[in-house]
Amino acid sequence: MIWQLDLAILTLVVIAGIGAITVKDLLGAAILFGAYSFMMCLLWSIMGAVDVSFTEASVGAGVSTVFFVAAVFRTTRRTKD
Amino acid sequence: MTILGLIIVLSTGALLIYATVDFPAWADPASPASLHLSPHFIERTMEETSVPNIVTAVLADYRGYDTMYETTVIFSAGVACFILLRILLREEPGESLYRHVLTGVTIRVKEGAKIPPSADFERIDTLWAPHDLIIKTMCRLLIPFIQLFALYVIAHGHHSPGGGFQGGVILGASIILLAISHDLRTSVQRMREKVDALLSATGVFIYAGTGALCLLLGLNFLDYSALASVLHVDPVTARSHGILIVEIGVGIAVMATMIWIYSNVSSTGKYDEGL
């Protein structure tokens, strides 16, 4: 485990997570959430949990982002609050 | 109210962070979890199940109940999306758009009117219908390889990271990619709604049925060594084969549910036009 890499990815996780809940554009939030999932996936594989990382990459970053985009496509891109 | 909420969230977060101090250090060999269970799995998995990937053996064999109900949760999510979103009432079709394939001219067909069926015209979505040959061709080329990789992930879960969940999601994603690159009707033609619903129930049934078969053969529920007499192998290999059967069930259920949820969400339950 390289701690510099770990720290960089953790920072990106926090940035993507805070960005996903503060950004007004819901499509942007969906993409940020996908980025968050990818960073988490990297973090899992750094910690040696390859199976979890694989699931995170396919479910979290792949399919759920598509679901969010589909939901945004059918509803609205702007949040009310 | 906002300030009160912020205070509650911040104090809960601070408490949670404070609680992590009590956690055992990362990969601490003296932590309670590493003292009793982990050594057993690490030392005995190979001789008990003949599966090299311990994670797969733990997920599908030692903690079979957990994975079975995870599959059931995914199936329930699909059913919930279906019940919430699907519109089964037949609405009057509004105006629809058709594209002349050779010239790219789009024509608008008014309510109730129909054009004679011909190969020259293709129906396109009214909301969003990009026409991109490069994307369509690339996705058409990629999808078989994605599906092959998904089958590899399911079948090779014994030896490498992967298994039913990941493989099923990738299989479902390949059909969703078809829906995104072409349109929803193209993907629904290949995976009809009834097929989705039937397959997602079949996957759970395969899992629970394997468990029930073990019960019928005289051992505990989901104790795959009971399958030895059916598969004509020794009990250890039978556990390995049982894991494979169960993973295939999980893969089928997850694949069908992902496509089912996507079709319902992207077409708001109408199944005609979608992302």
Side-chain angles (χ1 to χ4, degrees), chain B residues 45 66 88 132 144 154 175 177 229 268 275:
Chain B
T45 299
D66 183 66
L88 288 167
D132 200 326
I154 295 179
I175 304 280
L177 182 65
S229 52
T268 51
L275 186 64

Side-chain angles (χ1 to χ4, degrees), chain B residues 4 10 44 48 94 107 119 122 133 152 185 236 244 268:
Chain B
L4 191 68
L10 282 179
R44 304 290 302 277
E48 278 178 2
I107 57 168
E122 60 171 357
L133 191 66
Y152 161 79
R185 285 180 299 278
V236 174
L244 183 64
T268 51

Side-chain angles (χ1 to χ4, degrees), chain B residues 132-192:
Chain B
D132 200 326
L133 191 66
I134 297 172
I135 291 178
K136 280 188 180 180
T137 316
M138 274 315 292
C139 291
R140 207 166 264 264
L141 279 173
L142 268 177
I143 285 166
F145 293 102
I146 296 175
Q147 286 174 339
L148 200 63
F149 178 64
L151 292 179
Y152 161 79
V153 167
I154 295 179
H156 213 255
H158 283 49
H159 300 273
S160 61
F165 275 102
Q166 294 93 326
V169 167
I170 297 172
L171 259 183
S174 71
I175 304 280
I176 293 175
L177 182 65
L178 187 73
I180 291 175
S181 62
H182 292 69
D183 50 9
L184 192 70
R185 285 180 299 278
T186 318
S187 73
V188 171
Q189 267 174 14
R190 281 161 178 78
M191 284 289 288
R192 293 195 182 280

Side-chain angles (χ1 to χ4, degrees), chain A residues 1 46-48 50-56 58-60 62-64 66-75, chain B residues 26 53 55-56 127-128 149 153 160-162 166 169-170 173 176 180 258 261-262 265-268 273-275:
Chain A
M1 195 155 88
I46 285 175
M47 287 192 272
V50 216
D51 278 85
V52 186
S53 143
F54 198 174
T55 315
E56 183 75 43
S58 57
V59 182
V63 168
S64 68
V66 175
F67 286 170
F68 284 135
V69 171
V72 169
F73 172 69
R74 275 299 174 185
T75 51
Chain B
W26 183 70
N53 186 1
V55 178
T56 303
L127 263 178
W128 191 71
F149 178 64
V153 167
S160 61
Q166 294 93 326
V169 167
I170 297 172
I176 293 175
I180 291 175
M258 290 302 144
I261 293 177
Y262 175 79
V265 169
S266 74
S267 70
T268 51
E273 296 181 349
L275 186 64

Side-chain angles (χ1 to χ4, degrees), chain B residues 19-234:
Chain B
T20 53
V21 177
D22 276 351
F23 279 1
W26 183 70
D28 181 13
S31 70
S34 314
L35 276 182
H36 311 288
L37 267 176
S38 300
H40 176 88
F41 288 142
I42 291 167
E43 285 159 16
R44 304 290 302 277
T45 299
M46 195 60 194
E47 58 187 270
E48 278 178 2
T49 63
S50 77
V51 175
N53 186 1
I54 302 171
V55 178
T56 303
V58 170
L59 270 181
D61 190 308
Y62 295 110
R63 292 188 195 158
Y65 272 105
D66 183 66
T67 313
M68 189 176 94
Y69 286 106
E70 270 174 36
T71 319
T72 318
V73 163
I74 289 186
F75 170 67
S76 318
V79 173
C81 270
F82 171 77
I83 289 172
L84 283 174
L85 292 171
R86 185 81 172 102
I87 299 166
L88 288 167
L89 281 173
R90 198 160 182 82
E91 277 183 69
E92 278 297 307
E95 55 181 20
S96 47
L97 296 181
Y98 286 85
R99 181 192 288 129
H100 190 241
V101 180
L102 296 173
T103 57
V105 175
T106 308
I107 57 168
R108 182 186 298 269
V109 178
K110 278 194 176 165
E111 228 172 288
K114 271 189 177 173
I115 62 162
S118 111
D120 290 343
F121 288 99
E122 60 171 357
R123 170 124 188 251
I124 54 174
D125 291 350
T126 44
L127 263 178
W128 191 71
H131 181 61
D132 200 326
L133 191 66
I134 297 172
I135 291 178
K136 280 188 180 180
T137 316
M138 274 315 292
C139 291
R140 207 166 264 264
L141 279 173
L142 268 177
I143 285 166
F145 293 102
I146 296 175
Q147 286 174 339
L148 200 63
F149 178 64
L151 292 179
Y152 161 79
V153 167
I154 295 179
H156 213 255
H158 283 49
H159 300 273
S160 61
F165 275 102
Q166 294 93 326
V169 167
I170 297 172
L171 259 183
S174 71
I175 304 280
I176 293 175
L177 182 65
L178 187 73
I180 291 175
S181 62
H182 292 69
D183 50 9
L184 192 70
R185 285 180 299 278
T186 318
S187 73
V188 171
Q189 267 174 14
R190 281 161 178 78
M191 284 289 288
R192 293 195 182 280
E193 191 192 6
K194 274 182 189 164
V195 178
D196 288 341
L198 255 175
L199 280 184
S200 52
T202 310
V204 182
F205 180 76
I206 289 175
Y207 203 135
T210 314
L213 189 66
C214 300
L215 202 64
L216 282 179
L217 290 169
L219 281 177
N220 287 329
F221 190 70
L222 289 174
D223 187 348
Y224 310 127
S225 45
L227 300 172
S229 52
V230 185
L231 297 169
H232 302 293
V233 286
D234 59 292

